[in-house]
Amino acid sequence: MQRTISLRLQPKAIQDIVHEAILLASGLAIFEEAFPTSDQQLTQSFRSLISAAGSLNQPLISNRIEKDDIFSRHLTNYVTGRVGKLRITVKKAAVDVVASLYGLLQVPADDEEKSRKKFVKALLTKMNFVFPRNNLIDAISIRLNEPYRHPAIITVLHKVFFKGAKSYGQHFINTFTSSSSTDDMKEIPSAMLTLVIVGIFAALKEWEEGEDQREEQDFASATFADVVGLHNALLIDKIRDAKVGNGAEKYHTLMARLYRDAKAGKGISVALDQVPDWVD
């Protein structure tokens, strides 16, 4: 077992580098790979430390990170652990909204025909939770032509990544790009959307027995590999790489709209207006 370093006991230069590296490594998780392997995580952290040392004009520390394995290992492990908290933040944001924005408390917990347990199971089946509905608890009203437009997705994107002047969205504003050759509207990166989708799935999963069985824990790629696979099959295979129509432009339109709505928090108040007064 390897002890975690106490950052507050380190020299200020080290503290500054590590703080900057955590931000940069979080950016790699948001823009490149949301659920990296252990080796990929360490590589992301190492790259971030070197970049941070360079941007803060600390060549001696950068050189030591590259050449001193023990020193480097302590710092990369620390950064990796802190970046893992981003996933916890996403899940907590999802936990805060799934009951209201999916109407869970409007569904009777013990009705045999329309029980909350069956309702949650239906949401979790075939990625149904990514589609908005005209009526929160009416399966017939699901809008299958609007994938990833559910208010819960926009709400979590906004709360975690775009809310406030010091948000990830503001810090990395110049990192957002467009995949379209004809429209330069910025898009939500697929890695960021994956974080949110898995976070919402994990939050809904805690209701699968019909009651709130909340667990404050991280969610790992291995645990939710199936939902990541289904999400990629929908987002990449059926939308971006669709054989019929211009899939690339449909993908751009979707991701650009998500960026615009999440940045503005658009649709969040409308979604909350659908929730009865008695729902906490």
Side-chain angles (χ1 to χ4, degrees):
M1 298 293 290
Q2 183 173 337
R3 295 195 317 172
T4 301
I5 65 169
S6 174
L7 188 60
R8 62 185 179 84
L9 298 180
Q10 306 307 311
K12 185 177 184 305
I14 296 292
Q15 293 185 35
D16 291 345
I17 288 171
V18 170
H19 284 308
E20 179 68 12
I22 291 168
L23 184 60
L24 293 176
S26 298
L28 291 175
I30 292 168
F31 289 94
E32 290 189 4
E33 180 55 65
F35 293 97
T37 64
S38 296
D39 288 343
Q40 287 174 326
Q41 285 181 328
L42 293 175
T43 298
Q44 287 180 346
S45 298
F46 180 81
R47 287 170 55 193
S48 299
L49 284 164
I50 295 298
S51 179
S55 66
L56 295 175
N57 195 27
Q58 295 286 351
L60 295 179
I61 297 177
S62 177
N63 184 63
R64 186 177 177 187
I65 293 171
E66 291 189 271
K67 295 183 177 181
D68 186 333
D69 289 342
I70 295 177
F71 180 74
S72 175
R73 192 180 310 123
H74 277 295
L75 295 185
T76 53
N77 285 341
Y78 187 90
V79 172
T80 297
R82 290 297 300 273
V83 173
K85 292 185 177 180
L86 173 60
R87 292 191 290 273
I88 298 175
T89 300
V90 172
K91 184 187 171 185
K92 284 183 176 179
V95 165
D96 287 343
V97 301
V98 293
S100 58
L101 296 187
Y102 286 97
L104 301 185
L105 298 181
Q106 296 183 47
V107 182
D110 53 1
D111 187 301
E112 291 186 5
E113 294 297 321
K114 297 180 179 179
S115 71
R116 191 181 299 153
K117 183 175 179 179
K118 289 182 179 179
F119 178 65
V120 173
K121 182 178 179 180
L123 285 173
L124 295 174
T125 300
K126 296 181 179 180
M127 300 290 292
N128 282 329
F129 69 93
V130 308
F131 299 95
R133 300 183 180 192
N134 293 324
N135 181 303
L136 282 179
I137 60 175
D138 183 2
I140 298 177
S141 70
I142 189 170
R143 303 203 295 270
L144 293 174
N145 62 333
E146 298 181 27
Y148 298 103
R149 294 283 308 284
H150 195 284
I153 296 173
I154 298 169
T155 300
V156 176
L157 280 169
H158 175 75
K159 288 180 66 176
V160 178
F161 299 108
F162 292 95
K163 187 176 180 179
K166 295 183 179 181
S167 67
Y168 291 108
Q170 187 60 40
H171 185 86
F172 293 109
I173 190 168
N174 294 323
T175 308
F176 291 89
T177 60
S178 169
S179 62
S180 173
S181 58
T182 59
D183 179 24
D184 61 1
M185 179 65 187
K186 296 177 184 292
E187 301 172 5
I188 288 292
S190 61
M192 180 186 289
L193 183 58
T194 298
L195 274 172
V196 170
I197 293 305
V198 177
I200 292 175
F201 182 91
L204 285 170
K205 189 82 171 167
E206 293 175 352
W207 284 84
E208 66 179 345
E209 294 301 319
E211 301 294 338
D212 184 358
Q213 298 179 330
R214 187 175 308 181
E215 295 181 17
E216 294 189 3
Q217 60 183 19
D218 190 7
F219 53 91
S221 56
T223 307
F224 296 97
D226 289 346
V227 71
V228 172
L230 288 172
H231 160 62
N232 287 334
L234 175 59
L235 182 66
I236 305 303
D237 299 341
K238 293 186 178 181
I239 297 177
R240 192 192 68 184
D241 298 339
K243 303 298 183 183
V244 179
N246 192 333
E249 285 306 310
K250 289 180 181 178
Y251 174 87
H252 167 69
T253 299
L254 165 65
M255 303 302 263
R257 183 162 187 169
L258 283 176
Y259 176 86
R260 183 178 69 246
D261 290 351
K263 184 179 179 183
K266 185 177 181 181
I268 295 176
S269 60
V270 173
L272 292 175
D273 286 343
Q274 300 179 45
V275 182
D277 292 338
W278 52 267
V279 176
D280 186 4

